[in-house]
Structures are given as C-alpha cells and as structure tokens.
Amino acid sequence: MRNIYRVGILIGMLGTLTLTAQNQPEREAWLRDAGFGMFIHWSVDAQLGTVISHSLVGASEDYTRRYFEELPKTFDPQDADPDRWARLAKLAGMKYMVLTAKHHSGFCLWHTETTDFSIEHTPYQRDFVAEYVKACRKYGLAVGLYFSPEDFHYLHQQGELIKRGEKGDRPAAANERYIAFVKAQMKELLTQYGPIDVLFFDGKKNFLIDALKPYCWSLKPDVLITRGEIETPEQHLLGVASDRVWEACMTMGTQWQFKPTNESYKPASQVIQLLAETRAQGGALLLNIGPDGLGELPFEQERNLTELAAWYFINHEAIDGVEPWPVTHEGDIWYTKARDEDVVYAILGGQEEWPRGERREFLLHAVAPTEKTKISVLGQSDKWVEYMPEVDATSRFRKAEKGIEVSVVRAQRIYNNHRWPNPVVIKLEHVRPAFIPPAIRTLPVAADGHLQGELLSLGDEKSVQAGFQYRLKPKGLNDITKHTDWKELPAGEFSKTGAFSLSIPDWSPGRYQIRAFVKHDYISIEGAVEELLIP
C-alpha cells in the first residue's frame, strides 16, 4: 500500500492545560468509583421553558426588567418533589446529585442575605436547597451543588451589560466587590446545610472561579470540585480511557432546562449505552433532568430513569466500582473491569432484537481465557428459561485462536413481549488480556491544514495501520444522537511510533469531528475527538 501519510517527530510539548489539583485524591477516587450522577437544571425561567438564563444575553431592557421583576412573582412550584427525584436517582444506580443552586441569571434556590432575587421572595418561599439536601441524604446520595459565579442580575444592578466571555476588564475595585459577593453566597451554601460533597462551577475560567476554588477548600477541605478542576466534557464523552478522573455532562434531550415542545429525547437504550461507554473509559456520567415550572418531571425523563433502574438492577456489577480494561471496546461491545476483583464485564450493545430464549455467540478478541475462567450472564441463573424447558440456558465458552468464543442465552423475562432492547452483560471471571494494544492520540488540526495524530505505542505488533476517521456534525444541534456514522480515510502502515499527518480532503463547508485510529487485528482503537470547521 502506498503510504500517503507524512510522518514526523513531535517538536516541543503539546499545549496541554496544567491545573494545580487540590481536590483530595480520595475524593477523586470516590467519583471514579461512583460513576453515575443526576444533574438537575431548574430555575425561575423553567416557567417559560426557555434555555436556562441565556435568554438574558442580548435581551431588551423590557425583557430584562420583566425577567428579574415579574417571573419571581409567579414562581410557585408546588409539584416540586426532590424526594421523588432522589428516589428515582437511587433506583437508577446514581450515587450523587447536582442541583443548579444558582445559574447564570443569578436566581438563588436558597434563602440568601446577598440578594432579593431568590426563591425566598416568590410565592413558594421555602428554601429549596434545604429540601433537596434532605432528600439526597435520605437516600444515601452525595450532595452536589452547581454554582455559576457569573451573575447576570448582579451585573444588571451594577449598570453593566449582560454578556458572556467577560475578561475581567472592569476596574479592580469592581472585581473585588464581585468576588466578595460570590464568596458570601458560597459561604452560605457551604455552611448552612451540613456537608456538601460536590461543587460544579460553571462558566468560563476567570478571576471569579480562581478566587472561589481556594476559598471553598478553606471552608470545606474535602469538597470535590468537578467543573473548574477536572475535565467535564459537555454533550459528548472523553472518547478515550483516562487515568485521570473525568465527568461527562449529558442531557436526555437537546436542552438542559425543561423544554415544553420541539424536544427530542434519547431513548433509554441509548442513555444506557452512553453510561456503558463512560464507565468503560473510566469516567462518570452526570445525566440531566429538567423539571417544569411547577416542579413536575417530564414524563419522558421519568420513564427513561425507570428503564435505567431496571437495567441497573440487573447489571449493577458492570457499572459500580469498575475501571477500564486495556481495550475499552470492540465495536458495540464495551468492557469494564471490577477494580478489586479478577472479573471483566462485556456489555453487549447493538443487540436490540434479541428474543428471550435465543442463544447467540460472540468472539471477543480482547479477552483470553485461563484455566480458572468462568462465564455467566448478569441477572440470570443459567439454569432455566421460563416456559421453555427444552432450552439449555447454560453459558459456555471456548478458547479461540485470537480471544475467547462465548455462547449465551438471553433467558430472563424482563418485558411481557419477551424482548429486551438494552445491553445484556456477560461476566467473565479469571480472564486475561488477549494482547497488548497499540495506543493512539488525536492532535489538533495543524495550522498548515493537516490532520494530525500520534502513534504512542505499537503494542505487541511490529507494524500497524493507522489513520483518521471523520463525520459531519449537524448544524444547530448539540445532541450526539444526531451525528452521522464515522467514515474512514485511507490508512497508512507504520512500524515506528511518532507523529503522522494527512492533508485535509476536499470537504464541503461544515463542522467536522476528527479522530485518529489504529488497528490491531480485528480491533480498531480510537483517539479522542477533535473538531474542524471548514468555512
């Protein structure tokens, strides 16, 4: 094959962001094991069903005045039931919750001495943060609070334009007053409700976040700060396994806050697949709900959580306290490993039409058996299929030339129609990696118009094929369900590690997602995703 790739040596260090980590290591380890949480976007503008807070940016003075003065007068969410939300989270396997105590608008869901723009000055009156914290603790869930240091109401009161991307170009004295204001709010949140386990600081990194992080740790040294301190990809996954803790933030639909119409929800089966992928890559998934203006949870979101609960009830072992396997996935099959046990889980995605009682075989290239190997299907006894005494439900395996062949029956009756559209999980005890995988990294697109990757390791191969995959990102959609399938550019053959590049093809204008990949036998291993805009 003609090698069309330009091979080179990386010069200098890559532009990675170095953070001074001050989260306690045991708290980050807790998040890595916890792995699944509930995000709650809810504020005074849930009454309108608009995007939370952002409608204030660029708004007229009339709109802004009515937002700050009129909306609180009608906010009376008597149907809000944090106990119910926490109960659903517990059933779905979530270990923590994160509530928008204050979003960018500045509306506070607690009783505060810092502003009148709060739930205390609405018909509802009660301190909702207090009720939320009580519900979390009742169900043994860690208490998390989202807090936006950006505050549009504060800016408006100071006579400043409401805008995003503030670079700190106010007079120093104004900045100091702003910092004192948000510190006073954080002191209330961290001292009035008992232990707060998680803080999520939204907004672009600026002088406010820089001031808040050390201040919060001084008040609560064991509080875990996620956004602002660790990677928190939004509406997408990290894309690769990482030895650093990370948290993906994901909506069920296309909007964070309640959207009354024109909404498109992910099916529960896709949410489950996202959870499996996140855990296989060593991350935590923070899945969002958006109650309406009365506090009621949309039907579709509650039903998705209920189906998640059924899947988690069966397959909790594959999600709780796991770490990545050397190969995160083979196509739609995703792997997790029990952190303290010699157990690997193969989460079988892409098997939507699998009738109860049917046997299927899978060749797993990433796993090899040992003399002690045992396999089973989570949730099943391997001894009986209801009303099908003639079916042998036993799980079987045999050593393959490259990996392990497993043969399993979907035996458990979950739905009355005897079908179950969600991933079945195979438990593999006492297995070993079948090979040492190569490693690849996607680099940002070069200024000279080349796609860039770096082959980090050949694994146990003398040479490998590596290249790039791409897909077009749909216009105006922040929803991974709408992406097209990945397409592959011609690969090159490589016998050495190092950087490689490829001229950008003659693509039509649009925003593209790019990732480098490397092949080992039948398995493709991908790097993280980079974006490319072609005007």
Side-chain angles (χ1 to χ4, degrees), residues 150-169:
E150 293 183 86
D151 192 308
F152 298 159
H153 183 259
Y154 176 88
L155 293 177
H156 185 67
Q157 285 190 316
Q158 301 299 312
E160 297 191 42
L161 180 67
I162 296 174
K163 57 185 178 180
R164 299 299 309 284
E166 180 63 54
K167 300 184 184 303
D169 52 359

Side-chain angles (χ1 to χ4, degrees), residues 32-33 279-282 320-325 335-341:
R32 184 187 289 275
D33 279 346
R279 300 303 286 137
Q281 295 170 7
D320 294 342
V322 295
E323 61 188 9
W325 187 240
Y335 294 104
T336 59
K337 181 192 176 297
R339 184 173 299 280
D340 299 319
E341 296 182 64

Side-chain angles (χ1 to χ4, degrees), residues 426-458:
I426 300 176
K427 181 178 182 178
L428 302 111
E429 302 177 66
H430 308 299
V431 292
R432 60 177 178 82
F435 60 89
I436 301 172
I440 194 81
R441 176 163 53 177
T442 314
L443 303 179
V445 177
D448 63 357
H450 281 77
L451 307 179
Q452 296 191 114
E454 183 185 12
L455 186 59
L456 301 173
S457 167
L458 298 175

Side-chain angles (χ1 to χ4, degrees), residues 2-10 440-455 466-469 489-494 496-505 514-517:
R2 185 170 63 93
N3 196 331
I4 60 176
Y5 284 84
R6 198 175 64 178
V7 181
I9 299 174
L10 286 177
I440 194 81
R441 176 163 53 177
T442 314
L443 303 179
V445 177
D448 63 357
H450 281 77
L451 307 179
Q452 296 191 114
E454 183 185 12
L455 186 59
F468 297 96
Q469 297 171 340
L489 295 170
E493 190 81 18
F494 298 91
K496 295 181 180 179
T497 59
F500 61 93
S501 63
L502 178 69
S503 297
I504 296 175
I514 313 295
R515 65 184 183 188
F517 75 92

Side-chain angles (χ1 to χ4, degrees), residues 307-320:
E307 188 157 345
L308 268 166
W311 187 84
Y312 174 79
F313 198 82
I314 298 165
N315 300 296
H316 64 96
E317 284 185 43
I319 297 300
D320 294 342

Side-chain angles (χ1 to χ4, degrees), residues 57 92 99 279 317 332 352 376 383-384 417 475 499:
V57 181
L99 171 72
R279 300 303 286 137
E317 284 185 43
D332 290 328
E352 291 83 1
S376 57
K383 296 178 180 178
W384 194 260
N417 65 357
K475 293 181 180 179

